[in-house]
């Protein structure tokens, strides 16, 4: 198998491990809490501590990869994630469990952006769309199969295996990474911006952590607001600092690139809307329709089926329509299927729900592939590490914001109706709200140049080929014209 195929699979495997692990724990919290002698509410600190660790360490990933080599950092990140997984499985109390989850977050913070950097430095731009298709799938499949898999393992085996199944996957990932990925590193690594890392870490941690717990009733709203406020102030200070340093950990000056800017702004809004789906849909299925976690997981898994169906078509679709046209229109189409979830009722046939989720999953996966790819269309090789760090931070914040907006919308609907218990009628407005936010992203994608990403998509070659074909046909028609006229006269 050539590198164009195996490197995306190596990166995708590691990201699948992280994405699945981030969601699989939610279903098993009651069983884990009972086993280690704490309450499920207290144990939710394990989820938030993981998100906190991600937010703090992601900004350092780009410099670390440049300094020590992307391949080495990627392999070590998988190893750290595995150690965290083993720590979770061996935890005897909530303190041990939270520390292990923080360690997992450290590994995950390096795995995602550095894995993407490995891909960008190993694959030619012409093959980037197909490569990103493979990398996008784990982000879509993990959240939907995580809950049913967690419930199945916890019910029929033991919750410890949720974390131990990472070990063989991680070992295989390390072996393949060291064997097939070239040891590429920056020849002139920049000075490490420690002060900037502290400001950005506090800022991202406050915002991401605050948004993640908003609406989950883990902390009072005053505390949540305080966290977001502190994070916002710290990020403001970081922006001021970044303008004065030559090597910022988060380089916002790169937003001058039109395709990266559209991917960041438009991608944030699109991910915010779609990021609420894994939170809202299982709640609707379980609280609204009365399905078991396992049954709910089987229904929501249909989104992953659609994502897999897109895998072989993404490159052809983007090459045919171009990034700008496809992304602007597809943002609307994806949002329509997201809004369609607001029509689900107890009497809606599961077959129809399944069909809507499958088709919606196809268009969402196509959009994610395009967003993740076009972001790097104008980025120079020397700036790839900065770009991947910026994109990864954006994704983390968008996902956290999506859960917060979804939860806030449901709670607001309950207050409006003076409802004390959650039922299926409380979810409709939330789906509409997040769908509208996702649809707005289409405006940012439409602002890109008409030829955005042509070098990556191959559309430029198609246009040149079409133009040459038209010129050839015109020349042929011109040469045959006189002959046709003479034949007509002779006839």
């Amino acid at each position: 198998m050539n590198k164009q195929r195996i490197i995306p699979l190596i990166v995708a495997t590691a990201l699948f491990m992280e994405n699945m692990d981030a969601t699989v724990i939610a279903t098993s919290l009651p069983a884990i809490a009972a086993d280690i002698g704490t309450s499920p509410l207290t144990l939710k600190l394990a989820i938030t501590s993981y998100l906190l660790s991600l937010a703090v360490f992601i900004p350092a990933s780009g410099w670390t990869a440049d300094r020590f080599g992307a391949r080495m950092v990627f392999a070590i990140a998988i190893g750290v994630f595995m150690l965290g997984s083993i720590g979770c499985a061996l935890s005897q109390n909530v303190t041990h469990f939270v520390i292990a989850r923080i360690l997992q977050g450290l590994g995950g913070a390096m795995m995602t952006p550095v894995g993407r950097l490995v891909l960008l430095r190993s694959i030619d731009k012409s093959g980037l769309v197909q490569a990103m298709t493979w990398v996008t799938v784990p982000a879509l499949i993990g959240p939907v199969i995580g809950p049913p898999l967690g419930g199945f393992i916890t019910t029929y085996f033991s919750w410890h295996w949720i974390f131990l199944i990472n070990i063989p996957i991680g070992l295989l990932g390390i072996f393949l990474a060291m064997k097939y990925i070239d040891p590429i590193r920056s020849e002139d690594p920049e000075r490490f911006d420690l002060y900037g890392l502290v400001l950005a870490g506090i800022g991202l941690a406050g915002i991401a952590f605050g948004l993640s717990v908003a609406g989950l009733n883990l902390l009072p709203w005053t505390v949540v607001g305080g966290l977001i406020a502190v994070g916002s102030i710290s990020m403001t200070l970081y922006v001021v600092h970044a303008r004065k340093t030559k090597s910022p950990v988060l380089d916002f000056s790169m937003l001058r690139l039109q395709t990266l800017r559209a991917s960041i702004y438009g991608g944030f809004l699109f991910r915010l809307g779609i990021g609420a789906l894994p939170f809202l849909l299982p709640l609707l299925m379980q609280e609204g329709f009365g399905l078991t976690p396992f049954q709910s997981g089987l229904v929501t898994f249909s989104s992953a089926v659609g994502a897999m169906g897109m895998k072989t078509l993404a490159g052809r679709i983007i090459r045919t329509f171009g990034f700008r046209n496809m992304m602007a229109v597809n943002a609307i189409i994806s949002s329509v299927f997201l809004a369609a979830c607001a029509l689900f009722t107890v009497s809606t046939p599961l077959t129809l729900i399944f069909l809507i989720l499958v088709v919606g999953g196809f268009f969402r996966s196509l959009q994610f592939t395009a967003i993740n790819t076009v972001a790097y269309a104008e980025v120079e090789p020397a700036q790839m590490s900065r770009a991947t760090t910026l994109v990864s931070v954006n994704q983390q914040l968008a996902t956290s914001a999506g859960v917060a907006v979804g939860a806030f919308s449901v709670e607001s609907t309950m207050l409006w109706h003076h409802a004390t218990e959650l039922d299926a009628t409380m979810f409709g407005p939330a789906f509409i709200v997040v769908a509208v936010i996702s649809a707005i992203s289409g405006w940012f994608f439409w602002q890109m140049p008409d030829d955005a990403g042509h070098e990556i998509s191959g559309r430029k070659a198609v246009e040149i080929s079409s133009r040459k074909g038209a010129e050839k046909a015109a020349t042929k028609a011109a040469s045959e014209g006189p002959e046709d006229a003479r034949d007509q006269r002779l006839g």
Side-chain angles (χ1 to χ4, degrees):
M1 189 180 293
N2 59 38
K3 288 188 177 183
Q4 297 282 337
R5 182 67 56 84
I6 195 167
I7 290 179
L9 285 176
I10 295 170
V11 176
T13 301
L15 299 188
F16 174 76
M17 182 171 63
E18 179 191 352
N19 277 279
M20 186 183 68
D21 200 75
T23 54
V24 75
I25 186 178
T27 309
S28 308
L29 274 180
I32 300 173
D35 195 41
I36 65 176
T38 188
S39 69
L41 188 61
T42 302
L43 199 59
K44 283 195 174 183
L45 286 171
I47 297 178
T48 52
S49 61
Y50 177 82
L51 295 172
L52 195 64
S53 183
L54 277 179
V56 170
F57 293 110
I58 282 178
S61 60
W63 179 88
T64 306
D66 283 345
R67 178 67 179 81
F68 300 104
R71 181 184 71 173
M72 182 59 66
V73 172
F74 182 64
I76 292 175
I78 297 176
V80 171
F81 191 85
M82 289 168 52
L83 288 176
S85 299
I86 295 173
C88 289
L90 299 178
S91 296
Q92 299 298 314
N93 55 54
V94 67
T95 302
H96 295 164
F97 199 79
V98 168
I99 292 174
R101 289 290 287 171
I102 291 174
L103 189 61
Q104 273 192 316
L106 171 59
M110 296 292 168
M111 270 203 307
T112 302
V114 177
R116 191 175 286 114
L117 181 60
V118 164
L119 194 70
L120 292 167
R121 289 182 172 174
S122 304
I123 305 296
D124 293 334
K125 282 192 173 184
S126 59
L128 203 54
V129 171
Q130 193 62 30
M132 280 296 183
T133 302
W134 286 96
V135 175
T136 300
V137 170
L140 293 162
I141 295 182
V144 291
I145 74 167
L149 181 62
F152 179 81
I153 292 175
T154 303
T155 302
Y156 298 104
F157 297 96
S158 168
W159 66 266
H160 303 82
W161 288 102
I162 291 174
F163 301 101
L164 293 178
I165 58 176
N166 288 332
I167 307 309
I169 299 175
L171 290 173
L172 179 63
I174 292 173
F175 170 76
L176 293 176
M178 299 305 293
K179 182 176 177 63
Y180 290 102
I181 297 174
D182 296 328
I184 304 171
R185 70 171 65 188
S186 175
E187 296 180 357
D188 185 24
E190 298 173 331
R191 182 181 62 84
F192 186 59
D193 181 20
L194 179 60
Y195 180 62
L197 177 65
V198 172
L199 287 176
I202 294 174
L204 292 172
I207 295 172
F209 184 67
L211 291 174
S212 298
V213 298
L216 299 182
N217 296 320
L218 285 178
L219 296 171
W221 277 104
T222 52
V223 176
V224 172
L227 287 169
I228 296 175
V230 170
S232 300
I233 293 171
S234 185
M235 280 304 297
T236 302
L237 293 174
Y238 171 76
V239 171
V240 174
H241 162 76
R243 292 175 178 174
K244 302 175 182 178
T245 182
K246 295 181 180 179
S247 54
V249 290
L250 293 175
D251 189 1
F252 295 116
S253 68
M254 294 194 67
L255 293 177
R256 68 181 183 277
L257 303 177
Q258 289 180 296
T259 49
L260 181 60
R261 184 170 64 248
S263 180
I264 293 292
Y265 293 158
F268 180 88
L269 293 174
F270 186 79
R271 281 192 176 90
L272 188 153
I274 304 303
L277 188 62
F279 169 76
L280 292 173
L281 201 56
L283 272 180
L284 173 62
M285 295 292 149
Q286 295 174 43
E287 301 292 336
F289 297 169
L291 301 181
T292 65
F294 186 63
Q295 291 171 327
S296 168
L298 292 178
V299 174
T300 56
F301 179 71
S302 52
S303 295
V305 175
M308 291 298 293
M310 180 280 310
K311 182 171 59 64
T312 57
L313 298 175
R316 191 179 306 171
I317 293 173
I318 294 173
R319 186 165 56 250
T320 301
F321 298 101
F323 276 106
R324 188 190 73 162
N325 298 333
M326 189 282 293
M327 293 174 74
V329 174
N330 194 52
I332 306 298
I333 296 174
S334 300
S335 300
V336 169
F337 279 96
L338 180 57
C341 296
L343 303 176
F344 294 164
T345 65
V346 178
S347 59
T348 305
L350 285 179
T351 304
L352 179 59
I353 294 176
F354 185 87
L355 180 63
I356 290 174
L357 294 178
V358 167
V359 180
F362 174 90
F363 288 108
R364 287 191 293 273
S365 182
L366 175 62
Q367 193 75 355
F368 280 134
T369 298
I371 291 171
N372 290 337
T373 307
V374 79
Y376 308 102
E378 300 174 87
V379 179
E380 298 297 329
Q383 297 177 308
M384 281 297 183
S385 59
R386 292 188 178 189
T388 54
T389 302
L390 205 58
V391 169
S392 297
V393 166
N394 184 65
Q395 291 179 0
Q396 177 64 33
L397 290 177
T399 303
S400 300
V403 174
V405 171
F408 180 78
S409 299
V410 172
E411 285 197 352
S412 299
T413 304
M414 292 180 68
L415 288 173
W416 179 263
H417 291 280
H418 305 288
T420 56
E421 293 185 2
L422 203 58
D423 60 47
T425 61
M426 299 295 109
F427 290 89
F431 282 114
I432 297 298
V433 168
V434 297
V436 169
I437 293 174
S438 285
I440 294 173
S441 68
W443 185 85
F444 289 94
F445 300 133
W446 186 251
Q447 300 307 306
M448 292 190 298
D450 185 49
D451 61 350
H454 275 19
E455 181 183 354
I456 297 176
S457 66
R459 182 168 170 79
K460 185 175 182 180
V462 172
E463 289 183 349
I464 292 174
S465 177
S466 300
R467 189 161 56 247
K468 285 183 177 179
E471 291 173 354
K472 184 177 180 181
T475 303
K476 183 178 180 182
S479 63
E480 291 178 349
E483 298 294 331
D484 293 340
R486 185 181 58 189
D487 290 342
Q488 290 177 3
R489 286 196 301 271
L490 290 174

